[in-house]
Amino acid sequence: MLRFMFVGDSMTIGSAGEHTWRHRMWRHLCDTLGPEDVAVVGPRTALYDKAAGEPLSQAYADASPDFPRNHLAGWGEGWLHLAPQMSGALTRDPADVLLVSLGLIDLGFYTNAAQTAENVRAFVAAARSANPHVRMVLLPVIPNVRAETDAPFAAEVARFNELLAKAVADLDTPRSPLLLASRPPSYDIHLDTYDGTHPNASGEHKLAAAFADALSQAWGIGGPYAGALVTPTG
């Protein structure tokens, strides 16, 4: 059995009423590996409740009791916030593979590209301190609608993605492999998000596909993503 932990920001935790790309990815893993060979772990289970302004909701679009809701994702959290939590999270909830989508909130509010890249390295070190054999798949930051009108922010996103690729190359080891996923080539923030940042149903599928295809192509885990990559209703 492979144990997966989803790590991310608001795009990963999702909000009340959504499926989340975590759900889409879990479905894919069950379809390709078999449900008996997939576990999803993590210290949190909730969605973000926009009305309350807190991660309090369990109102997933798919309320199936089979869906493991565990994760380590938070609305407004980034590498800066989650790096210090990784060792404890993996000690409490051991995982074999981390699927990580972080960075937008860091660059938008907390740290520049270089500082954010240093927090990536701290994150990797913390994860390995708890599990020296952990594998990690990291997704580059997808520029959101702010990048269309804020040139300095867009430049920081581009610079960070360069530094993220360098960090993956520097830190990758046979014992604890790192993998840089590719941004979904057809991802369009005007079609695949509901607000220029957060994924709608089609965006959820495309984010899941980015991780699924990376796992399949690089490590032979699962297979190519076969979910509905374009769907208006989910």
Side-chain angles (χ1 to χ4, degrees), residues 22 41 52:
R22 297 182 281 113
V41 301

Side-chain angles (χ1 to χ4, degrees), residues 79 83 114-128 136 138 160 162-172 178:
W79 295 104
Q115 293 165 337
T116 306
E118 285 303 310
N119 287 328
V120 172
R121 293 173 182 266
F123 178 102
V124 172
R128 286 173 170 168
M136 297 174 237
L138 313 182
F160 170 72
E162 294 173 354
L163 294 174
L164 179 65
K166 184 178 188 305
V168 169
D170 290 346
L171 300 176
D172 179 43
L178 297 186

Side-chain angles (χ1 to χ4, degrees), residues 141-226:
V141 171
I142 298 174
N144 66 352
V145 67
R146 175 179 169 183
E148 295 185 335
T149 57
D150 185 338
F153 173 68
E156 284 298 298
V157 171
R159 177 60 178 154
F160 170 72
N161 283 338
E162 294 173 354
L163 294 174
L164 179 65
K166 184 178 188 305
V168 169
D170 290 346
L171 300 176
D172 179 43
T173 68
R175 189 184 191 197
S176 174
L178 297 186
L179 180 59
L180 185 67
S182 298
R183 172 180 170 169
S186 64
Y187 200 93
D188 185 330
I189 62 170
H190 300 290
L191 300 176
D192 296 314
T193 76
Y194 60 81
D195 61 358
T197 298
H198 301 98
N200 58 21
S202 63
E204 291 172 358
H205 281 294
K206 291 179 181 180
L207 292 176
F211 285 98
D213 292 346
L215 286 171
S216 174
Q217 293 166 10
W219 295 337
I221 296 176
Y225 192 78

Side-chain angles (χ1 to χ4, degrees), residues 18-19 23 27 58-67 69:
E18 298 175 8
H19 283 85
H23 179 274
R27 288 281 188 195
Q58 294 291 333
Y60 284 82
D62 186 337
S64 167
D66 295 332
F67 172 44
R69 302 175 177 190

Side-chain angles (χ1 to χ4, degrees), residues 10-22:
S10 57
M11 294 172 65
T12 298
I13 186 176
S15 57
E18 298 175 8
H19 283 85
T20 74
W21 73 261
R22 297 182 281 113

